[in-house]
Amino acid sequence: MNWLDIVILMLNAMFLFTTPLLITAIGGMFSEKSGVVNIALEGIMIFGSFCSILFISTMQNAFPNINPTLLLVLAIFVAVIAGVILSTLLAFSAVNLKANQVIGGTAINLMAAPIVIFTARMINPNGVRTIQFSNNFNISKVPLLGDIPIIGEIFFQNTTLLTYVSIFIVILAVIIIYKTRFGLRLSSVGEHPGAADSVGINVYKMRWSGVLISGALAGLGGLAFTIASSVSFEGRVDGYGFLALAVMIFGQWKPLRILLASLFFGFMSALAYKYQLIPGLEAFSLSYLIKSLPYVATIVALIMTSKKTRVPKASGTPYDQGSR
Amino acid sequence: MKEMNWFERTIRKILSNRGFLSLLATFIAIIIGLIIGLVIMLIAKPQNAFAGIEYLFGRWLSTATPTRIGTWLHYSTSLIVLGLSVAFAFKTGLFNIGATGQYTVGLFAALYVGMAWTGLGQFQWLVGILIAGLAGAFWGFFPGFFKSRFKVHEVISSIMFNYIGMYLVNFLITNVRNGSGELMLFDSSFGRTFVVPSSSYVPTTFFGIDLRAIFPGSDIDIGFIIAILLALLVFFILYKTKFGFELRACGYNRHAAQYSGVNENRSITLSMIISGALAGIGGGLFILASRAGNVGNIYKTVDVLLPEGFNGISVALLALSHPIGIILAGLFISFIQRGGFFMQTLIKNEIADVIVAFIIYASAISLIFQTRISNWLLKQRTEKKKEPKT
């Protein structure tokens, strides 16, 4: 294998791992823009991943010849709905009951893993927690575009539909946040809910929307993670929900910067999972240190960006109309 | 306003007591969690659901009672110590979600001492646990320092240190070699560490009192007593010393604390160091515990965070971070988990964790009802004061 092939393979892997981080981080951004810290992204990813992978596995058993693209599109809907359902718990506690957002989110993280493992063990006849599926969602080559030399190999070979969905989500997020009435109102609620309320914006409704959008995207991010990393669901997403939060902070709550930040972290993850491809790094003994790269990179990135943070000002504070 | 009778007055008096309100809120949260658990069991396996609830409520204690009580106390040890770790940081306004990483690092340190420093004789376990505390403190230092120096949010950084710690421990276990170049800790044929030799285990007699005589056949050792003593120590530090007062002042209102001369950055870093030390001690007490059949005196190098640190969060939240409440909360959550363990034939034991998670969610919400009740009472009182003037 020459070095160009290795670079292309690493870039393919990078896009694969960028996808879940990007989708989930954009979700986290919507929630924080509305003023709710969504630390439950990890738990929502687990739940979304579980529901959609269970759906895929069931459908693959029932209809062995089902078209993979159609199945993936259906699974996307399942993941989104699952994410929305779990995020209602956060919205209810954080918006209506004005509970501590971090504690409410932590409770959701605590319940997600046992719920899915419990369900998986009750469903599986032998009581194991793993859900197997055949991971045939890899698009080996996009017609026409995949034939372009180098660029085609990087962007249009060995990819999945979800990568393109994630790019679409970023474009949509840019339009929604900066160009629509809804997006501007959402941002205003996260910056100064009292002022927003005084001009007639329903703060509670806006925050509910922010949290539910983040739930939908985190659920989808969970599906993307499992498809990127494995051929079975094991009841965990390896802290990618928290990495997505870091991506969001590193991206300064701006969709395009989040895209860049997620590419950086996606590359770190690609190194962590596919380092064997690089000559000289195959040695077994180093593997654990390389696997910790994305997490070390997060710390470094956060230290670098901490001085000039652009966090939405009201993020993390419950809004009480009575204390306006 | 009409005169209140004594009954109404007493009820009001009890309701306005903060401690009582917290207890009531926690009690309601537990009931909500158990009801949700019952509903889930009814959906999953209707024929076993009520038997399952009976088991969780203590039917598992009806046979082999002393043994099972002892083992229950043993398993609540790490929950109490980790609950203390999380609560200590909470009191300074910090959320140490990294307790599981500090626990893992401490566990590794104790494991190393238990395997390598055999010359220490009967003090080996004590040195192991102290080194475990130091290792945990070292691991808790980083999120605290990054928070105070660079304003990096401790939730994100301590989660990252969970993963870094886990991978670092796995790396060290699979690479530490002895003088003749053989792997010292890692048993590659099983994919886990060797069993820690029993000479370094935590003793079972405490000043002449043989705990195994009281709870024969159980896994109890003096780790449980150490956990209780640590809870008392944390209570003393937080509520009876100037240092603890400063930490709590930072937790209530750090601007006000800083204004009155508390060094906030120092408090944050020290709080995380102590929190980490407690978590590390928890890891040491777990790996060096003397259990029947050496269950748990090994560490598996799988890439999964240990669940104990997250249980510690549950304990701290349920106890509202009060050190004495943590003993009770740790015992309670351990009680539910042991119940789950013994009813596995009826229903899968993850249901215990599901119930605990819903209890935590309900208690996060119930704090709101608590403030509403006290606000309502406050309003009543001020209205009553105003009344004679009109």
Side-chain angles (χ1 to χ4, degrees):
Chain A
M1 218 192 296
N2 66 30
W3 66 270
L4 186 63
D5 288 340
I6 295 169
V7 169
I8 288 172
L9 276 176
M10 286 306 288
L11 288 176
N12 289 156
M14 173 177 90
F15 288 125
L16 213 53
F17 286 104
T18 300
T19 307
L21 284 175
L22 178 58
I23 297 175
T24 313
I26 294 281
M29 179 198 75
F30 271 101
S31 179
E32 288 222 359
K33 281 267 180 198
S34 77
V36 180
V37 172
N38 192 347
I39 204 164
L41 290 174
E42 175 90 359
I44 299 172
M45 278 181 89
I46 291 176
F47 192 66
S49 171
F50 169 74
C51 293
S52 51
I53 296 297
L54 182 63
F55 173 78
I56 288 173
S57 159
T58 314
M59 291 297 273
Q60 281 176 340
N61 285 335
F63 311 100
N65 295 322
I66 193 166
N67 179 336
T69 314
L70 172 71
L71 182 58
L72 189 58
V73 171
L74 292 175
I76 287 174
F77 282 105
V78 174
V80 164
I81 292 167
V84 168
I85 289 173
L86 196 59
S87 64
T88 55
L89 283 179
L90 177 67
F92 178 63
S93 72
V95 182
N96 298 73
L97 298 176
K98 303 174 188 65
N100 184 320
Q101 296 171 0
V102 175
I103 294 180
T106 303
I108 292 170
N109 284 337
L110 287 174
M111 70 179 69
I115 285 179
V116 302
I117 294 171
F118 175 74
T119 315
R121 291 187 63 191
M122 293 304 283
I123 292 171
N124 280 329
N126 46 359
V128 296
R129 55 169 66 180
T130 317
I131 294 174
Q132 305 280 348
F133 67 106
S134 54
N135 199 340
N136 53 0
F137 306 111
N138 187 40
I139 303 171
S140 56
K141 193 196 253 181
V142 179
L144 289 176
L145 292 169
D147 291 327
I148 307 168
I150 300 181
I151 293 186
E153 287 179 65
I154 294 172
F155 293 106
F156 301 106
Q157 287 189 11
N158 288 324
T159 177
T160 70
L161 182 65
L162 286 167
T163 303
Y164 303 117
V165 170
S166 73
I167 300 299
F168 175 70
I169 287 172
V170 174
I171 296 169
L172 208 63
V174 171
I175 296 171
I176 289 175
I177 292 289
Y178 297 116
K179 301 290 175 196
T180 67
R181 182 189 293 188
F182 169 77
L184 293 170
R185 287 184 169 179
L186 192 79
S187 306
S188 74
V189 164
E191 291 292 338
H192 199 312
D197 196 359
S198 72
V199 292
I201 298 171
N202 187 334
V203 177
Y204 294 161
K205 218 166 108 185
M206 280 295 152
R207 290 197 162 179
W208 263 89
S209 321
V211 175
L212 293 190
I213 292 172
S214 79
L217 293 179
L220 181 54
L223 171 64
F225 171 81
T226 307
I227 285 186
S229 63
S230 179
V231 290
S232 62
F233 175 76
E234 315 266 358
R236 60 199 172 92
V237 294
D238 288 359
Y240 269 59
F242 298 120
L243 278 178
L245 272 180
V247 166
M248 177 196 72
I249 297 170
F250 197 38
Q252 297 288 297
W253 296 267
K254 289 173 183 158
L256 289 175
R257 289 186 64 163
I258 289 176
L259 172 64
L260 294 178
S262 64
L263 283 170
F264 170 70
F265 284 96
F267 180 68
M268 290 296 167
S269 300
L271 268 185
Y273 278 86
K274 311 269 176 182
Y275 67 93
Q276 300 97 332
L277 294 174
I278 302 173
L281 289 183
E282 312 95 321
F284 164 75
S285 60
L286 280 177
S287 69
Y288 288 119
L289 290 188
I290 294 172
K291 277 182 184 168
S292 68
L293 259 182
Y295 311 100
V296 176
T298 306
I299 300 284
V300 175
L302 287 178
I303 290 174
M304 274 159 43
T305 45
S306 61
K307 290 285 172 197
K308 45 176 173 58
T309 173
R310 304 265 305 150
V311 56
K313 285 195 185 60
S315 180
T317 338
Y319 177 61
D320 186 359
Q321 208 170 20
S323 64
R324 202 169 84 199
Chain B
M1 196 174 180
K2 83 176 188 354
E3 196 58 35
M4 285 189 291
N5 61 29
W6 67 269
F7 179 72
E8 225 173 316
R9 264 204 308 272
T10 332
I11 293 286
R12 266 161 204 276
K13 211 173 196 173
I14 292 173
L15 273 180
S16 55
N17 181 313
R18 279 192 74 88
F20 174 78
L21 274 180
S22 311
L23 268 180
L24 184 73
T26 309
F27 186 70
I28 292 172
I30 289 171
I31 299 289
I32 293 175
L34 286 174
I35 289 173
I36 292 173
L38 178 64
V39 170
I40 292 174
M41 284 194 269
L42 278 172
I43 296 167
K45 231 179 189 175
Q47 68 273 31
N48 287 349
F50 286 99
I53 280 287
E54 261 182 58
Y55 255 89
L56 288 181
F57 264 115
R59 208 173 93 189
W60 58 274
L61 272 177
S62 59
T63 44
T65 311
T67 310
R68 288 185 175 185
I69 287 179
T71 305
W72 162 43
L73 296 181
H74 166 67
Y75 278 101
S76 55
T77 304
S78 49
L79 286 178
I80 292 170
V81 180
L82 281 158
L84 288 172
S85 159
V86 177
F88 198 90
F90 260 137
K91 282 288 175 193
T92 322
L94 300 165
F95 189 16
N96 181 13
I97 209 166
T100 189
Q102 295 140 17
Y103 176 87
T104 309
V105 171
L107 187 148
F108 169 77
L111 180 106
Y112 182 82
V113 173
M115 297 240 193
W117 296 1
T118 41
L120 292 167
Q122 55 170 330
F123 293 109
Q124 196 181 4
W125 71 273
L126 191 60
V127 173
I129 280 159
L130 290 176
I131 301 277
L134 282 179
F138 177 65
W139 217 241
F141 161 78
F142 292 105
F145 177 71
F146 292 155
K147 165 95 175 180
S148 65
R149 180 73 179 77
F150 303 110
K151 301 277 170 280
V152 175
H153 203 292
E154 79 280 2
V155 168
I156 307 279
S157 61
S158 60
I159 287 168
M160 296 306 139
F161 271 93
N162 281 342
Y163 288 95
I164 299 169
M166 175 187 79
Y167 286 121
L168 182 67
V169 164
N170 284 350
F171 170 75
L172 289 173
I173 285 175
T174 47
N175 281 282
V176 171
R177 288 166 195 279
N178 61 14
S180 47
E182 293 162 335
L183 282 174
M184 202 173 114
L185 310 172
F186 191 62
D187 189 350
S188 49
S189 48
F190 291 103
R192 57 163 172 75
T193 63
F194 294 111
V195 179
V196 182
S198 58
S199 54
S200 60
Y201 287 175
V202 177
T204 54
T205 38
F206 183 71
F207 290 113
I209 307 165
D210 186 3
L211 295 173
R212 290 285 168 88
I214 306 171
F215 304 107
S218 75
D219 291 339
I220 196 165
D221 55 25
I222 67 165
F224 180 70
I225 293 170
I226 292 174
I228 304 288
L229 293 177
L230 283 174
L232 296 175
L233 181 70
V234 166
F235 177 81
F236 181 79
I237 292 175
L238 281 176
Y239 293 95
K240 305 289 171 197
T241 65
K242 178 168 167 264
F243 172 63
F245 182 80
E246 287 182 355
L247 292 186
R248 286 188 297 128
C250 279
Y252 275 122
N253 186 336
R254 51 206 194 113
H255 301 294
Q258 207 165 17
Y259 185 72
S260 54
V262 175
N263 185 339
E264 185 205 351
N265 288 341
R266 181 173 154 270
S267 299
I268 288 174
T269 315
L270 278 177
S271 173
M272 281 302 288
I273 287 175
I274 294 173
S275 177
L278 286 164
I281 290 173
L285 286 175
F286 187 81
I287 194 79
L288 297 183
S290 26
R291 297 185 197 86
N294 300 342
V295 188
N297 296 101
I298 49 147
Y299 179 79
K300 285 188 189 135
T301 51
V302 284
D303 297 355
V304 186
L305 294 179
L306 294 171
E308 281 82 359
F310 298 106
N311 291 333
I313 295 172
S314 301
V315 172
L317 290 176
L318 190 63
L320 302 171
S321 301
H322 193 283
I324 308 303
I326 280 170
I327 299 176
L328 299 175
L331 285 169
F332 172 75
I333 290 181
S334 175
F335 187 84
I336 298 271
Q337 288 181 340
R338 292 312 290 166
F341 175 80
F342 282 110
M343 68 172 198
Q344 281 183 78
T345 48
L346 295 175
I347 203 151
K348 297 285 176 275
N349 59 330
E350 277 83 9
I351 191 68
D353 294 327
V354 174
I355 289 174
V356 169
F358 273 104
I359 291 174
I360 300 309
Y361 181 76
S363 70
I365 295 176
S366 70
L367 278 179
I368 302 315
F369 295 118
Q370 194 188 327
T371 30
R372 283 205 183 151
I373 293 174
S374 44
N375 283 350
W376 177 74
L377 286 167
L378 211 67
K379 216 168 115 191
Q380 297 263 311
R381 212 175 293 163
T382 41
E383 272 170 12
K384 197 177 140 199
K385 272 181 192 162
K386 277 178 197 162
E387 217 147 31
K389 286 178 189 169
T390 51

